[in-house]
């Protein structure tokens, strides 16, 4: 091991760490960007002063804040400290597993010259047959994962570092419940040098635990240092401005954008912001995605939510076990991410309830359709195929429908004789209205806490990020339409 690596995280990261490139999907060297260097400086300042490392991070998009934290924790475990156990806890299981997957790639790609002892000891193995705790034998270190839905799986464990992700969504926004979860998963971290607790999240409105902790940190009343990275710091958010464009662009900026220039933000960045705003129906929606300040992030983060909390029922166990099966909803995607088949039924109270959720991530469209068809045929129920349009991507639904029918599926048709559902903005809004209407009449139930959380944060502009919510909304739209009596003009004439 090079001696410099023990004190130079950035050098170690660049020469020894490989992460997955978001564009190509291939492993690439981890080179820090500007915002990552700024946050690293804060982490290293606390470490070098031999203080406990404590940070609360309000996340923007596409700058790699979570990646930095996870790689920094790996550096402490693999280079600086032996027996330094770590915990990753996110709002749902898939998010925790994805963060740990980053660590798994790091170990697989770690240079052979850095591996003291036997190579096989530099890989994850189950710790005492646990599914949630991995062990790195060469470093005598645990890497545990948990979720805010099941925090007790790690209660009583001894951790030196904890990465708490998307905390604003913990406890369904209930501050007291979220606070208890945080204490459960990070309470064992001692206040010693090189111990670490990082709490990070995108904003989820105001009044929740994460928001109150952010306010405490900003006021200097917390043990955590606050950090926020606005869109204006992220390298990819800019466009070149030719000399002959300058005056035209300046004259097109509104008062808010002129104010951005007054803050010292370069014209190239403001020009990008000005053009990006055209994709959003309101400025509030733009600020929710690309906040300039923490205040914008918190104030606008709920602007585009589809569902109100009072229209999303609490999850109940066992309500789908005796339901009469009605239909299956298959959500497909071009890259295989977020694909899922949910089967729905009607319980004894006449409520629409999910009976089963079967993830189909990573499958090709053809295979996902075939496997979903086989399950629906076996259950004797028709199927609805749904897809969320992502920007200008082509739509795959007609092809999927043909494949399903060739495989023997009975598609569930709507009033327009369509067995598929293209979830654009208007269809999503209609499905959300149907779900809310069913909820108000007590005609919809939920069995999954994770799905309820997705319903609460489902947004029009990034709906594909909440696949469990989408299957519920599609089913609600079809179910509500079937309950409505058909009314003709003649019904209003004596």
């Amino acid at each position: 091991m090079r001696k410099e690596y023990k004190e130079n995280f950035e050098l170690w990261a660049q020469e020894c760490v490989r992460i997955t490139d978001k564009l190509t999907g291939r492993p690439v060297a981890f080179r820090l960007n500007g915002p990552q260097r700024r946050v690293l400086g804060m982490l290293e300042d606390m470490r070098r002063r031999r203080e406990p490392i404590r940070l609360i991070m309000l996340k923007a998009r596409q700058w790699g804040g979570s990646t930095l934290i996870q790689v920094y924790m790996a550096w402490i475990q693999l280079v600086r400290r032996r027996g330094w156990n770590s915990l990753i806890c996110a709002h749902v299981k898939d998010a925790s597993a994805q963060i740990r997957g980053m660590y798994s790639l790091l170990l697989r790609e770690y240079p052979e010259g850095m591996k003291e002892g036997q190579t096989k000891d530099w890989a994850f193995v189950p710790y005492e047959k646990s599914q949630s705790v991995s062990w790195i034998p060469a470093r005598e270190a645990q890497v545990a994962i948990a979720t805010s839905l099941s925090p007790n799986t790690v209660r009583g464990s001894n951790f030196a570092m904890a990465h708490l992700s998307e905390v604003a969504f913990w406890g369904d926004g209930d501050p007291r419940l979220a606070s208890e979860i945080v204490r459960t998963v990070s309470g064992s971290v001692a206040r010693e040098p090189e111990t670490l607790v990082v709490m990070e999240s995108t904003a989820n409105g105001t009044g929740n635990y994460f928001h109150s902790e952010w306010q405490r940190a900003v006021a200097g009343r917390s043990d955590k240092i606050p950090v926020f990275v606005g869109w204006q710091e992220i390298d990819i958010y800019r466009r070149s401005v030719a000399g002959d464009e300058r005056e035209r662009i300046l004259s097109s900026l509104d008062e808010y954008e002129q104010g951005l220039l007054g803050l010292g933000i370069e014209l190239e960045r403001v020009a990008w912001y000005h053009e990006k705003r055209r994709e959003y129906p309101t400025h509030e929606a733009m600020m929710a995605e690309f906040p300039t300040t923490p205040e914008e992030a918190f104030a606008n983060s709920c602007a585009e939510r589809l569902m109100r909390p009072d229209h999303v029922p609490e999850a109940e166990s066992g309500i789908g076990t005796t339901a009469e099966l009605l239909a299956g909803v298959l959500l497909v995607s071009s890259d295989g991410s977020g694909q899922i088949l949910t089967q729905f039924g009607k319980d004894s109270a006449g409520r629409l309830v999910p009976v089963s959720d079967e993830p189909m991530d990573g499958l090709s469209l053809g295979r996902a359709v075939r496997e979903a068809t086989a399950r629906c045929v076996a259950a004797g129920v028709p199927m609805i195929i749904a897809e969320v349009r992502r920007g200008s991507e082509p739509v795959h639904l007609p092809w999927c429908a043909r494949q399903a029918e060739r495989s023997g599926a009975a598609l569930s048709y709507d009033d327009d004789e369509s067995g598929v559902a293209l979830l654009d903005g208007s269809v999503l809004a209609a499905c959300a209205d149907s779900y809310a209407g069913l909820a108000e009449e007590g005609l919809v139930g939920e069995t999954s806490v994770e799905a309820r959380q997705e319903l609460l944060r489902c947004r029009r502009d990034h709906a594909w990020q909440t696949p469990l919510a989408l299957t519920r909304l599609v089913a609600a739209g079809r179910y509500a339409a079937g309950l409505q009596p058909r009314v003709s003009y003649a019904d209003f004439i004596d």
Side-chain angles (χ1 to χ4, degrees):
M1 180 189 300
R2 289 177 56 179
K3 188 176 180 179
E4 306 98 293
Y5 290 158
K6 194 164 185 178
E7 291 297 328
N8 192 330
F9 167 82
E10 186 167 359
L11 178 66
W12 172 81
Q14 181 173 320
E15 296 186 355
C16 301
V17 174
R18 295 175 72 79
I19 61 172
T20 301
D21 181 78
K22 290 184 178 180
L23 295 178
T24 66
R26 300 178 65 84
V28 295
F30 182 40
R31 292 182 172 86
L32 274 66
N33 57 35
Q36 287 171 334
R37 287 194 181 92
R38 179 162 74 87
V39 176
L40 173 63
M42 302 169 74
L43 297 170
E44 284 290 83
D45 184 56
M46 287 181 272
R47 182 186 69 81
R48 288 169 179 155
R49 292 203 308 261
R50 295 190 57 76
E51 297 176 355
I53 302 168
R54 302 292 187 267
L55 197 75
I56 181 168
M57 183 163 63
L58 177 59
K59 294 198 305 184
R61 298 185 183 277
Q62 302 297 326
W63 67 274
S66 295
T67 301
L68 171 67
I69 299 305
Q70 194 54 50
V71 175
Y72 188 81
M73 289 168 61
W75 175 61
I76 293 177
Q77 284 185 306
L78 301 181
V79 177
R80 294 191 55 82
R81 294 277 189 162
R82 185 180 293 273
W84 220 239
N85 297 334
S86 68
L87 167 69
I88 305 158
C89 186
H91 57 307
V92 293
K93 183 178 180 180
D94 287 349
S96 296
Q98 184 176 12
I99 296 172
R100 187 175 66 174
M102 189 189 312
Y103 203 154
S104 298
L105 173 64
L106 188 158
L107 289 174
R108 287 197 305 271
E109 299 283 337
Y110 205 49
E112 290 297 322
M114 295 289 293
K115 298 176 180 177
E116 301 173 354
Q118 299 187 49
T119 299
K120 67 180 181 64
D121 290 337
W122 290 81
F124 282 147
V125 296
Y127 181 74
E128 295 184 352
K129 300 181 180 180
S130 171
Q131 293 184 343
S132 60
V133 183
S134 296
W135 175 252
I136 308 173
R139 302 302 296 173
E140 300 175 0
Q142 298 175 18
V143 178
I145 63 170
T147 76
S148 63
L149 306 178
S150 54
N152 289 322
T153 58
V154 295
R155 186 186 289 273
S157 300
N158 180 30
F159 298 111
M161 299 184 291
H163 178 187
L164 314 181
S165 182
E166 294 295 359
V167 176
F169 298 93
W170 291 16
D172 286 345
D174 183 329
R176 291 172 297 179
L177 180 55
S179 176
E180 176 59 31
I181 297 170
V182 171
R183 284 197 298 270
T184 297
V185 300
S186 62
S188 68
V189 181
R191 291 195 58 80
E192 298 292 337
E194 293 192 40
T195 60
L196 176 148
V197 177
V198 173
M199 183 186 298
E200 49 94 341
S201 186
T202 48
N204 185 30
T206 59
N208 54 55
Y209 174 77
F210 182 77
H211 179 241
S212 64
E213 286 299 292
W214 173 266
Q215 290 182 311
R216 285 206 315 123
V218 169
R221 299 194 302 270
S222 169
D223 63 334
K224 298 175 182 65
I225 303 298
V227 59
F228 167 75
V229 174
W231 68 269
Q232 66 274 20
E233 291 187 62
I234 302 171
D235 294 339
I236 61 175
Y237 299 147
R238 65 188 307 146
R239 63 162 291 234
S240 59
V241 176
D244 57 355
E245 290 185 289
R246 190 175 184 86
E247 291 304 318
R248 177 183 62 79
I249 291 174
L250 284 171
S251 64
S252 70
L253 303 181
D254 64 13
E255 184 177 354
Y256 178 86
E257 294 162 345
Q258 292 285 352
L260 296 178
L261 292 175
L263 294 173
I265 300 174
E266 308 100 304
L267 179 60
E268 290 79 4
R269 296 186 183 277
V270 178
W272 173 88
Y273 188 91
H274 175 79
E275 291 186 357
K276 189 69 176 177
R277 278 179 68 179
R278 299 176 65 182
E279 299 179 13
Y280 294 86
T282 65
H283 191 199
E284 288 74 20
M286 173 71 177
M287 289 190 288
E289 286 294 297
F290 301 98
T292 306
T293 65
E295 290 74 22
E296 283 186 4
F298 285 113
N300 297 293
S301 58
C302 292
E304 294 297 303
R305 296 280 159 77
L306 279 167
M307 302 299 301
R308 284 172 25 195
D310 56 326
H311 285 154
V312 182
E314 297 288 343
E316 305 172 53
S317 61
I319 61 173
T321 55
T322 60
E324 173 195 353
L325 284 177
L326 296 176
V329 177
L330 171 65
L331 183 70
V332 298
S333 68
S334 58
D335 63 359
S337 63
Q339 292 185 148
I340 190 169
L341 171 69
T342 302
Q343 295 196 46
F344 292 89
K346 181 173 67 172
D347 70 2
S348 58
R351 296 185 301 175
L352 175 72
V353 295
V355 175
S356 64
D357 292 304
E358 184 172 357
M360 295 188 169
D361 280 338
L363 300 184
S364 66
L365 284 171
R367 184 176 172 189
V369 169
R370 288 193 301 272
E371 295 201 6
T373 296
R375 284 155 179 74
C376 288
V377 168
V381 296
M383 184 168 68
I384 307 160
I385 306 175
E387 181 180 10
V388 180
R389 192 163 197 167
R390 305 187 191 183
S392 58
E393 277 190 1
V395 176
H396 303 87
L397 286 179
W399 183 88
C400 290
R402 289 195 298 271
Q403 297 302 308
E405 289 180 325
R406 288 171 183 168
S407 299
L411 296 183
S412 173
Y413 292 96
D414 61 13
D415 289 343
D416 296 325
E417 297 186 354
S418 174
V420 299
L422 178 60
L423 300 175
D424 58 17
S426 60
V427 174
L428 269 175
C431 289
D433 290 343
S434 295
Y435 192 100
L438 291 174
E440 287 179 339
E441 296 184 29
L443 292 177
V444 65
E446 183 51 67
T447 57
S448 164
V449 176
E450 186 173 341
R452 183 176 190 274
Q453 289 194 341
E454 286 197 11
L455 283 163
L456 290 172
R457 69 175 191 275
C458 185
R459 295 168 54 157
R460 294 178 180 86
D461 51 351
H462 284 80
W464 64 83
Q465 295 178 346
T466 51
L468 287 169
L470 295 180
T471 62
R472 271 73 175 163
L473 296 181
V474 170
R478 294 291 174 93
Y479 190 65
L483 292 177
Q484 293 169 354
R486 295 186 180 274
V487 179
S488 69
Y489 179 74
D491 293 327
F492 294 94
I493 300 175
D494 294 332

